[in-house]
Amino acid sequence: MASATRTNRVNRNPAPGRTPETPGPGRRPSKAAALWRSSVGKKAVMAVSGLVMLAYLVAHMLGNLKVFFGPDDLNGYAHWLRTIGEPVLHHGWFLWLARPVLLAAVVAHGVAAYQLSRRDLKARPQQYAHRRRQSTYATRTMRWGGVILGLFIVWHILDLTTLTVNPLAEEGHPYQNIVASFSTWYGGGIYCLAMLALGLHVRHGFWSAAQTLGVNNPRRDRALKLAANGLALLLTAGFLSVPVAVMAGLVR
């Protein structure tokens, strides 16, 4: 009886390669858990969550460009976003339904990226004397670009959503709030730096997602690379055009 009790207890001193959380021989992890624990699964999560965020970025950029048509167009667009789904959905419900999905994509993307990075470092404890320059550049760009974008998301929310760090902001006036934010050197500077990091992140991320999801092949590689470069350039130019126009006095 004592022997059976000891057998059922959690192994506090697991054998090498095992952890207390690792299921025993009689328990198998679910397919979802097994997929998440694998490097392939984490890359797939990064690819899918990245595509969700990419779709949002394209829509967000198109909405931002309405600033060039004046305050009525941009403020009207912001109001329309809160009426999507009416009368089935109440005022503003669409945004509150979309935000958790976007937040989940950001968190899943960041966690998977961090865990893959840690796994890669553990697999290569010794620094290689010679590295492929292109691979190192892409890896460092994605890693540090992700950190910059993560910090920027926090700033962007505080700046133009909660209006916490935007002293001249007015609730319900997005056009005026954008002008107020980008009229300061730090508001425009932070945004421009983040958008440059975004362009590089999208360029490498789109190509990586295509490889992870098995979309690429020798016949499509050239087209996919052109698409990655074109999309990154389009997003970067579109997002940068707004703060540059405000700082140049073209949008007031």
Side-chain angles (χ1 to χ4, degrees), residues 115-130:
Q115 292 183 354
L116 282 170
S117 178
R118 296 294 299 173
R119 185 172 292 183
D120 182 58
L121 290 174
K122 288 180 180 180
R124 298 188 289 109
Q126 299 296 329
Q127 297 292 330
Y128 291 127
H130 301 285

Side-chain angles (χ1 to χ4, degrees), residues 5-70:
T5 302
R6 286 194 298 270
T7 302
N8 291 331
R9 289 176 182 170
V10 176
N11 185 1
R12 299 296 179 184
N13 297 295
R18 289 281 302 280
T19 65
E21 293 78 14
T22 302
R27 290 171 50 201
R28 288 188 177 183
S30 64
K31 291 183 178 180
L35 182 64
W36 170 251
R37 290 174 183 172
S38 68
S39 295
V40 173
K42 293 183 189 299
K43 289 179 180 179
V45 168
M46 286 192 68
V48 173
S49 60
L51 291 176
V52 171
M53 291 186 288
L54 182 60
Y56 165 78
L57 287 171
V58 172
H60 189 42
M61 181 202 68
L62 293 175
N64 283 2
L65 293 179
K66 288 184 175 291
V67 75
F68 293 104
F69 297 95

Side-chain angles (χ1 to χ4, degrees), residues 84 89 92-102:
I84 294 177
L89 300 178
W93 277 23
F94 171 79
L95 291 179
W96 285 108
L97 291 173
R99 283 165 180 164
V101 175
L102 187 60

Side-chain angles (χ1 to χ4, degrees), residues 37-38 41-42 47 68 85 103 107 115 131 144 180 187 235-236:
R37 290 174 183 172
S38 68
K42 293 183 189 299
F68 293 104
L103 177 61
V107 171
Q115 292 183 354
R131 292 182 177 181
W144 288 108
L235 286 172
T236 304

